[in-house]
Amino acid sequence: MKLGMIGLGRMGGNMSRRLMSAGHEMIVYSATAKTREAFANETGAFASKSIEEMAAKLESPRLVWMMVPAAVVDQTLINLSRVMQSGDVIVDGGNSYYVDDIRRGKELKEHGIHYVDCGTSGGVWGLERGYCLMIGGEDDVVKRLDPVFAALAPGVDSAPRLPGRDKIEGTAESGYLHCGSNGAGHFVKMAHNGIEYGIMAAYAEGFNILRHANVGRRPQTEDAETTPLRNPEEYQYDLNLSDIAEVWRRGSVISSWLLDLTATALLSDPDLSGFSGRVSDSGEGRWTIKAAIDEAVPVPVLAAALYQRFSSRGEAEFAEKLMSAMRYEFGGHLEKPVKPS
């Protein structure tokens, strides 16, 4: 199949490579000329100089896949709608808000253009491992695009088969799933990323406890501003976090791909000196919490994980200063100096 790809970043570039390796013909476009030309020289894909040229190179009914930031999806769709025709299909494979998908699907339908939202997970490893795809759109359109989804997905052999699963029809075992109408794909991806926030926070907090298990060996401060460590002898462990991550990868109930990546990071940089600890959030965690509120579903772990990311970026600094100020006002408590990291 011949298709267009808009966006050649960490995801779009490798997805195009994977599709080409499966025999699909790629017409690619990036707003940065250097990026698209370098990609074309490397892979042999045709690099369009404009969205108009991309559309002209494709065959009806045309398929264009977007891998662009959520903030520029609407403008990209406006540009595409001017050159696409009735019966053509646009796939948004980025991390858009599912509510926007519902609106976009209706707007494009007025022009006869089909819209598919596809939550995509796999990160920088997707070229080799494949991409988990969560799809929203019309039944017949999604079915028509099956060869593309199948080429991107990891395949049945990417995980052990569950007993009896072979008797159930569908594509979930292959790593891609038509979840429902417009918005359903990104709704499922939204919850996926909300869960990801929680799992990452749990690993981070657990390893931080292990890192401080030698607090009993450190000099103890004795003053009115410091809670005393009652039993220093209970915290005498100098633990090797890299080795702990490694042993947990084997037979542990908390083993996972995220733990594999954690072990890799700790092996190469045990103190994580290359990182500042500023953790971004691109929207999915917030949207997950909003959906939980609308559904009246309690999600304390996911909410706490989102707020921890805010704190990591200094968003709690004023609140922390205010607490310190209140302690000074009611009790004359002075701030202790910050210890060097």
Side-chain angles (χ1 to χ4, degrees):
M1 185 179 293
K2 182 186 289 188
L3 67 149
M5 176 68 74
I6 299 179
L8 297 172
R10 292 189 301 270
M11 295 287 282
N14 277 346
M15 291 172 70
S16 296
R17 292 181 179 92
R18 187 171 175 90
L19 287 167
M20 292 181 71
S21 68
H24 296 282
E25 185 178 350
M26 301 302 300
I27 312 296
V28 301
Y29 173 74
S30 169
T32 305
K34 184 177 180 180
T35 299
R36 63 177 180 259
E37 290 166 5
F39 186 86
N41 291 334
E42 174 202 336
T43 65
F46 181 86
S48 304
K49 295 181 176 63
S50 65
I51 287 177
E52 291 78 9
E53 184 180 22
M54 167 180 283
K57 286 286 184 181
L58 296 172
E59 302 165 356
S60 295
R62 293 172 291 188
L63 168 61
V64 173
W65 191 302
M66 302 185 302
M67 290 302 294
V68 298
V72 301
V73 169
D74 278 323
Q75 186 58 55
T76 306
L77 286 174
I78 290 171
N79 297 338
L80 274 172
S81 65
R82 293 171 180 157
V83 297
M84 301 284 273
Q85 300 173 348
S86 179
D88 292 345
V89 181
I90 301 173
V91 178
D92 177 11
N95 283 325
S96 288
Y97 188 24
Y98 80 94
V99 174
D100 291 333
D101 293 322
I102 298 171
R103 167 181 57 82
R104 291 163 181 162
K106 291 178 180 178
E107 291 173 350
L108 290 170
K109 191 173 183 179
E110 295 176 0
H111 301 278
I113 300 171
H114 303 288
Y115 178 77
V116 174
D117 54 283
C118 183
T120 308
S121 182
V124 296
W125 296 89
L127 174 61
E128 176 185 348
R129 291 167 54 100
Y131 299 89
C132 175
L133 306 175
M134 297 142 272
I135 307 159
E138 303 158 90
D139 291 349
D140 58 334
V141 174
V142 172
K143 187 173 183 179
R144 190 201 320 166
L145 303 185
D146 189 81
V148 174
F149 298 135
L152 287 169
V156 174
D157 294 336
S158 61
R161 301 194 80 174
L162 298 178
R165 185 74 209 192
D166 58 323
K167 298 180 176 62
I168 301 175
E169 295 183 358
T171 62
E173 265 198 312
S174 295
Y176 64 104
L177 179 67
H178 183 200
C179 301
S181 58
N182 277 146
H186 278 144
F187 189 92
V188 175
K189 179 57 164 44
M190 173 191 75
H192 165 285
N193 282 26
I195 293 169
E196 178 185 297
Y197 283 24
I199 295 173
M200 291 173 68
Y203 279 133
E205 292 176 11
F207 275 98
N208 205 22
I209 291 172
L210 296 174
R211 181 176 172 82
H212 289 83
N214 62 356
V215 66
R217 293 177 180 269
R218 305 174 195 168
Q220 301 299 308
T221 302
E222 297 181 359
D223 59 38
E225 301 298 321
T226 306
T227 302
L229 181 63
R230 294 176 60 90
N231 301 299
E233 69 277 7
E234 295 176 358
Y235 298 94
Q236 298 287 319
Y237 307 116
D238 292 312
L239 301 174
N240 186 314
L241 301 192
S242 177
D243 283 351
I244 290 171
E246 190 63 34
V247 75
W248 281 354
R249 294 179 61 214
R250 291 167 168 77
S252 164
V253 296
I254 62 167
S255 60
S256 71
W257 186 41
L258 279 174
L259 182 60
D260 294 344
L261 299 177
T262 299
T264 299
L266 290 171
L267 180 63
S268 61
D269 184 4
D271 293 324
L272 303 180
S273 57
F275 299 90
S276 68
R278 188 185 189 280
V279 187
S280 299
D281 76 288
S282 54
E284 299 88 345
R286 305 183 190 206
W287 305 333
T288 302
I289 305 309
K290 182 184 181 303
I293 292 170
D294 291 343
E295 297 171 358
V297 173
V299 288
V301 172
L302 305 190
L306 174 65
Y307 292 141
Q308 193 279 332
R309 292 192 176 204
F310 295 167
S311 294
S312 78
R313 305 198 297 265
E315 302 298 343
E317 183 178 4
F318 182 79
E320 292 162 353
K321 287 182 177 180
L322 188 55
M323 285 191 290
S324 185
M326 286 187 284
R327 291 189 78 244
Y328 176 76
E329 292 297 331
F330 71 66
H333 299 282
L334 299 175
E335 290 186 324
K336 297 175 68 65
V338 177
K339 295 180 179 180
S341 58

